[in-house]
Amino acid sequence: AWARGDLEAALRLNDLAREHMQGEETLHPEVVECQRAHILATLGRDREAAALWDRAARGFERHGDPVGAADCRSLLAFEIANQGHPELAESILRGAVRTYERLGKTPSVAVTLGRIADLIAPQGRLDEARDFARRCLDICRGEENADRTSRAAERLERLGGG
């Protein structure tokens, strides 16, 4: 439903998934909450999304899943920036990079470095943004992921570093 752009249907399906997960010990409701938060943010329901991402991140932490928590917090960072707190958003993203690096999650490192570049460039911090974008591109080239490499190269070009 989401891929078709039918966000209301995506929310209904998300509700069904949440209902079916009730009482299941092996399933983590945080995954569904994180997806729901993303749908809500796309619908412009930022405060609801932020609350869900935060709750999901805390749940991932309780279950010993630092990558899931970092993923949620990375998404939450943009809502925090949109609410006028770019410094806090940047701090969250840098923390996610440290988590991903520590755990060897190289693709997530690249994505998050790109997010930091996108966040700080509008603040006039172009040299720093280009550095983050270059690091992102270098990682993407090493992964041999053509799509991600292309997007990273476009980002760097947009920032005047290509």
Side-chain angles (χ1 to χ4, degrees):
W2 189 352
R4 292 190 318 266
D6 188 348
L7 299 177
E8 293 301 329
L11 277 177
R12 288 191 300 277
L13 289 171
N14 186 270
D15 287 338
L16 286 173
R18 288 171 34 179
E19 287 174 28
H20 288 288
M21 291 180 78
Q22 299 286 331
E24 291 288 334
E25 303 268 331
T26 59
L27 302 174
H28 297 290
E30 296 80 13
V31 173
V32 176
E33 284 186 340
C34 205
Q35 290 169 341
R36 183 176 190 79
H38 201 67
I39 295 166
L40 290 171
T42 304
L43 286 168
R45 294 164 59 181
D46 296 342
R47 290 196 189 285
E48 288 175 82
L52 271 178
W53 271 319
D54 185 54
R55 186 169 69 210
R58 285 185 276 122
F60 279 122
E61 288 167 349
R62 273 194 312 279
H63 288 102
D65 184 349
V67 172
D71 289 346
C72 285
R73 294 210 191 287
S74 289
L75 292 166
L76 174 61
F78 277 92
E79 295 309 316
I80 289 171
N82 289 338
Q83 293 172 12
H85 305 287
E87 320 78 29
L88 178 57
E90 182 182 348
S91 174
I92 290 168
L93 290 171
R94 287 176 181 263
V97 168
R98 286 190 297 275
T99 297
Y100 296 139
E101 286 175 336
R102 185 178 77 246
L103 298 172
K105 300 296 182 181
T106 308
S108 296
V109 171
V111 169
T112 309
L113 290 171
R115 287 179 176 162
I116 294 171
D118 292 343
L119 176 70
I120 66 175
Q123 299 172 23
R125 297 166 53 194
L126 291 177
D127 288 340
E128 282 180 90
R130 282 189 287 268
D131 288 344
F132 281 107
R134 270 189 206 94
R135 286 179 57 201
C136 172
L137 180 58
D138 289 344
I139 291 170
C140 291
R141 283 181 176 146
E143 293 178 335
E144 298 180 9
N145 180 321
D147 184 50
R148 193 173 289 149
T149 301
S150 174
R151 286 193 314 255
E154 288 170 9
R155 173 185 289 116
L156 185 56
E157 182 72 28
R158 204 174 47 247
L159 292 170

